[in-house]
Amino acid sequence: MVLQDNDQTKEPMGPYQWPARKDTDVIGKDHDRLDGLVKSTGAAKYTYDVNLKNQLIAVALGCPHSHVRIKSVDSTAAEKVDGVVHVEVLEQGKEGKEVRWAGELLVVVAAESEGAAREGVANIKIEYEMLDVFTADDDLEAAQRAKRTTKGGNRIETEQEPGDDDDEDEFYEKEFVRLFKDAEIVHEGEYGIDAITHCCLEPHGATAVWEGDKLVVYLSTQNVSGTDDQFAGALGVTANDVEVRCDYIGGGFGSKFAPDYWGIAAARIAKKTGRPVRLMLDRDQELRIGGSRPSGYVKVKVGADKTGKLSVWDSHHWGTGGSGRGAVSIGVVPYVMVPPNRRSIATNINTNNAPVRAWRAPNHPQGCALSQTVIDDVAGKLGKDSYDVFMANLANCTNGKAEVYADQMKVAARLMDWKAKWHPHGKGAVKGSVVEGLGMGLHTWGGAAHPSTCTLKIHPDGSVESFLGSQDLGSGTRTVCAQVLAETLGLKVTDVTVNLGSSKYPISGPSGGSTTVGGVSQSHRRSAQDGLQKLFVLVAAKLGAKASDLIAAGGRIQTTDGNKSLSWKQACGLLGVTPLETTRSHERGKDGALSSSGVAGVQMAHVSVDKDTGVIRVNKFVAVQDQGLVINPKTCKSQISGAVIMGIAASIYEQRVNDPRTGLFLNSGSFDRDGYGLARLGDVGDIVVELYEPESERSRGVIGNGEPPAISPKTAISNAVANALGVRVPVVPMTPKRVLDALAKAAGKA
Amino acid sequence: MKNFEYAAPCSENEVLQLLSDQSGQTELLAGGTDLVGLMKKMIVTPDRVVNIMEVPTLKNIEAVDGGGVAIGATVTLDEILAHPYLEDYPAITDAILGINSMQLQSQGTLGGEILQRPRCWFYRNGQELLDTGQISGGDNRFHAIFGNNGRSKFVQSSRIAPALCVLAAEARVIGPSDSDIQMIPLLDLFRTPRQEGQREHTLLPNQLVTHLVLPPVNGGLNATYEVRQGAGPEFPLASAAVSLELDNQQRVHQARVVLGQVAPTPWSSAAAADALMGQPLDAQAAETAGLAAVEEATPLSHNGYKVQLAQVAVKRAILRAAGLETGGL
């Protein structure tokens, strides 16, 4: 009997589906992360921890200016520093090159110690020609004067279409005048959301070692299976010659899909020196060039009826994606609830900051904040409950989720005790100088499962292993894979081993876009279901039963009537000496019953604001989130809590500060007052997460939730602050300075 | 980090022998929470680092004859928090609690905390400490609103120094020679640098603060209030410490008010103290003192909001000292 079943062209068995909620033993049940202990004890080896024998430490010189041309580079003094082994001027550091953002790495020094490498870096002499600098991304007029703008697109939709003979521009101008005239209430405002930067706890970087002609790279990456060929292409070898490893990663959030030129440099220097080379960005470099999220600012005018439902939207938004990259997409302003008449114009501003990278739900947090703060101000203007006005605007939902949102709003309001806490904007009780407020936001995301291949090995001794070239970003991927195997094979989670983190394993997609859990649960369910069917054939022969009459449950394989059975180990013993190996894949877009896409979420915040100091505290935050079928509620809730914490940081503390004179990213160096602000445990209040999983959603299968809960926090918190103060703090983060400025402006003092 | 020579002396005299008389050539290492970061960024590049954590005489908290407490320079902040001798000095413990970081509290020392280098983001990014246009023309949201008419526009960053100043603490300073011992009122230890390279204190490079000596409070009230944006170890945006003595009619007859995070030194406000004199200790007096404290403020282009925060800090420090509700978050 042929037990090997690795032929990908062979028709899989199927049909693949999840057990009903009532029939699960493992899926849908809380389980601690399998790697929780090694992580919490420090035993887990992250890329940063890799310390190979004879390893060189590489440190890179970052450009200290925001916009320059390199006039000359002299590394001779660096080469003479005791302990320095190799100095490499990178391509962008060569004479004549234009450098368009501070922090760009120019020269790498590899040395016997970090100290020697840093001293080498300090001895590199570069002459710069200073060029014009622009970083005022919130100032559209200044950007236009500096010729730093490009068109970001426009979109016009009206219920009344222009006639064949109409001049379109003239028609729309008149039509929008008419629409605003007909609106029962008109509101105008300016809003914004500053650029924030990736600040992964583990910075970007790699340790590279050549074993003959084969390269092994320990890379902090979200893309184990997709980075080997990127190294190969850059180094002139084949992907087969490269292994990328990443067992544990200290955060990626969309910024770690590539080797990056510094990872390639580490591999190149390793080749030249014949020694392993470690090159990790330092904290300053991580914040400056590790990726950022575009800023967005909007000038908007809306018209609405007396319920607050918008009938017309007219906006111009702008912002920066750094040097040469686009900013917030035209497609998300307005966001989710799009009035039937809308005109949106976008302008991109080219600034001297490093280019953006994907940041947890690209575009959506900005779109949500720039749109739903407007809806909340309409509620304030009407003196209406924001909840009712959001409910009215669900009629404008464009993603088909209006009913889901309505139901989620009810759940969230109950958990928040919204009705009891609500007061009209600025009309709440004042205790000393402290006022409280409520706000909400809602969001959408795709999250379709990415491609994933899993090889499952069932060993004759009963042990079970899976292999896949995926990565666990800390979200619990290992644990979820193990739960799927355990459920399918009738085992405990601790009975199976999940091997991931190597590009030599079967290909799995990059972990971006909330696609991982759908993909890996697809490939694991498929390979486990089919592997089990193979095992059933052997067991059926042994028991004198039909394979189709067998089930796996409770560590046994048995007939459905329970009269005949073998333990799992006895069953696997029938394999003889050869493991049963089954490889199954999921292709993107072929979800079947196991996965799908398209989720909705509603979030509510309750805050206190000190009117005398501008200090904001989040008291309670409620997140209601749909993600289809939930494999592990514990890690799922944890993922949502993490997103909320990031959102709280971006609402109140987090901000890239560019110096108006030099453009330098002033607060990149640390996390203290003059450093990059983040939320601490004491800042996040009581986070209440509700997994929204009625049968209508569960039956859609598994959908990722990494991004969606990170979208609404800024909106909910900004709206809560506006409700508390009766004054909009127009730009997030809402720092004390901004709160006090907004209050002074409202009082006519500024 | 530049290579350096490391020394770990075991006595105060050995420390003095290892210190250079040239500024910047040697640096003292205690908890290292500031120095190591500065060295890694090569903002500070000493030839020799002198670790003073092995000097036993610097590690004690002792009662002083006639009242008061002497705290060794390398006593850690959590040791101060836990020590019964400090119960009468809530201004100090308020400030240490505000640091909100077990790591900084257990590793940081009193001497290191009060003599830490400025947190100015221009300075920490490798630019000059004193203004050459980068501060006055740049983003100065966290910079000084007092004492900033010269080129020093940074703020003194110590969380505890304002409290020590209102409590009339003196620094025991030794060096350069073994026999040089002096007591310096802490407020006099700080200075506003007038030229680049000058330190933010008056100590010679080869002098050492061994102890901070606190006089007894004799029934007086004291407190610190910091305006902090978050609940973490971020530095406050403004702070104030007060010490008050009341007469038998419960009116203020002695007051000291020192603001933190608002000037290149701890900023003593005689105007706020004067406003309190003769007043009953109530919300009105606190409000008036707060207003008086900021009358002479000279904010820069981006930090006008700090004037209000400084005013609130003074008001709330007084209320806290009086045991009244501060009214804020």
Side-chain angles (χ1 to χ4, degrees), chain A residues 405-739:
Chain A
Y405 287 126
D407 199 36
Q408 290 180 333
M409 281 175 64
K410 288 174 195 161
V411 174
R414 174 175 51 78
L415 294 169
M416 179 55 87
D417 201 10
W418 179 285
K419 291 294 174 192
K421 288 178 182 162
W422 174 260
H423 57 71
H425 287 56
K427 307 287 186 194
V430 183
K431 294 175 196 158
S433 56
V434 178
V435 287
E436 296 181 346
L438 278 177
M440 66 167 288
L442 56 85
H443 53 258
T444 189
W445 190 252
H450 67 198
S452 177
T453 299
C454 166
T455 292
L456 176 73
K457 286 188 183 178
I458 299 173
H459 294 277
D461 65 357
S463 61
V464 176
E465 289 184 284
S466 73
F467 299 84
L468 76 167
S470 187
Q471 47 280 316
D472 189 335
L473 302 188
S475 46
T477 302
R478 276 187 182 84
T479 313
V480 163
C481 292
Q483 284 183 269
V484 171
L485 292 182
E487 178 73 51
T488 311
L489 303 176
L491 300 173
K492 293 179 189 161
V493 171
T494 47
D495 293 334
V496 302
T497 302
V498 176
N499 298 283
L500 45 72
S502 168
S503 63
K504 291 298 181 192
Y505 295 153
I507 292 172
S508 210
S511 289
S514 307
T515 59
T516 303
V517 68
V520 300
S521 56
Q522 275 268 12
S523 61
H524 277 71
R525 179 69 175 174
R526 286 167 183 254
S527 52
Q529 263 192 233
D530 286 359
L532 186 62
Q533 289 302 319
K534 292 283 184 189
L535 194 58
F536 280 173
V537 172
L538 296 178
V539 175
K542 177 75 176 176
L543 295 178
K546 290 181 182 172
S548 59
D549 193 35
L550 294 176
I551 57 169
R556 302 190 72 77
I557 293 178
Q558 60 192 46
T559 53
T560 48
D561 60 12
N563 288 336
K564 296 177 180 176
S565 70
L566 290 179
S567 72
W568 175 260
K569 198 166 180 178
Q570 288 170 327
C572 293
L574 301 176
L575 293 168
V577 294
T578 310
L580 171 60
E581 191 171 308
T582 312
T583 297
R584 290 288 180 264
S585 297
H586 166 67
E587 291 178 45
R588 193 177 178 91
K590 295 186 177 176
D591 289 306
L594 295 182
S595 65
S596 60
S597 61
V599 300
V602 166
Q603 297 184 348
M604 293 178 175
H606 182 247
V607 303
S608 293
V609 188
D610 187 332
K611 293 201 292 183
D612 283 352
T613 61
V615 170
I616 298 167
R617 290 273 182 279
V618 176
N619 303 319
K620 184 172 180 178
F621 197 98
V622 172
V624 180
Q625 185 62 47
D626 147 48
Q627 49 271 301
L629 181 150
V630 177
I631 305 272
N632 184 347
K634 186 170 189 174
T635 52
C636 187
K637 286 182 179 177
S638 170
Q639 178 82 324
I640 295 170
S641 292
V644 169
I645 291 168
M646 287 179 96
I648 290 171
S651 304
I652 307 176
Y653 309 104
E654 209 176 343
Q655 179 185 28
R656 178 182 67 205
V657 178
N658 285 116
D659 184 41
R661 286 174 75 246
T662 61
L664 289 175
F665 183 169
L666 289 172
N667 56 337
S668 62
S670 66
F671 293 124
D672 59 32
R673 177 196 56 200
D674 295 356
Y676 195 76
L678 289 174
R680 316 288 175 146
L681 278 181
D683 296 318
V684 300
D686 178 20
I687 299 173
V688 178
V689 175
E690 178 75 9
L691 303 180
Y692 184 79
E693 199 187 8
E695 200 50 39
S696 57
E697 306 306 326
R698 188 184 186 279
S699 62
R700 299 196 298 135
V702 178
I703 312 172
N705 80 342
E707 338 266 306
I711 296 169
S712 285
K714 283 124 289 198
T715 307
I717 294 168
S718 177
N719 289 343
V721 170
N723 178 243
L725 295 173
V727 171
R728 173 67 57 180
V729 181
V731 180
V732 293
M734 294 171 287
T735 59
K737 180 180 192 303
R738 284 181 168 155
V739 173

Side-chain angles (χ1 to χ4, degrees), chain B residues 188-204:
Chain B
D188 296 344
L189 199 67
F190 297 102
R191 72 163 165 205
T192 301
R194 297 294 170 197
Q195 56 195 355
E196 196 66 31
Q198 239 177 18
R199 284 287 169 104
E200 310 83 52
H201 53 72
T202 56
L203 294 170
L204 297 171

Side-chain angles (χ1 to χ4, degrees), chain A residues 114-115 118-119 122 284 288 431-434 608-613 615 617 652-653 655 657 659-661 664 666-667 669 672-674 678 680 682-683 734-737 740, chain B residues 1-3 40-42 119-122 125 127 133-134 137-139 141-142 155 157 227-237 261 302 305 308-309 312 316 327-329:
Chain A
E114 183 179 339
R118 289 198 180 280
E119 197 170 344
D284 216 18
R288 288 185 180 193
K431 294 175 196 158
S433 56
V434 178
S608 293
V609 188
D610 187 332
K611 293 201 292 183
D612 283 352
T613 61
V615 170
R617 290 273 182 279
I652 307 176
Y653 309 104
Q655 179 185 28
V657 178
D659 184 41
R661 286 174 75 246
L664 289 175
L666 289 172
N667 56 337
D672 59 32
R673 177 196 56 200
D674 295 356
L678 289 174
R680 316 288 175 146
D683 296 318
M734 294 171 287
T735 59
K737 180 180 192 303
L740 295 178
Chain B
M1 188 179 284
K2 193 187 83 168
N3 280 326
K40 284 184 82 168
K41 295 191 88 172
M42 300 192 73
R119 300 279 159 180
C120 166
W121 54 21
F122 297 102
N125 271 302
Q127 299 187 46
Q134 85 277 23
D139 191 321
R141 70 182 69 180
F142 297 128
V155 297
S157 296
V227 178
R228 293 191 302 270
Q229 193 192 356
E234 291 82 3
F235 284 78
L237 298 164
Q261 320 291 335
H302 290 74
Y305 74 105
Q308 176 164 337
L309 300 185
V312 171
R316 292 183 181 174
L329 275 178

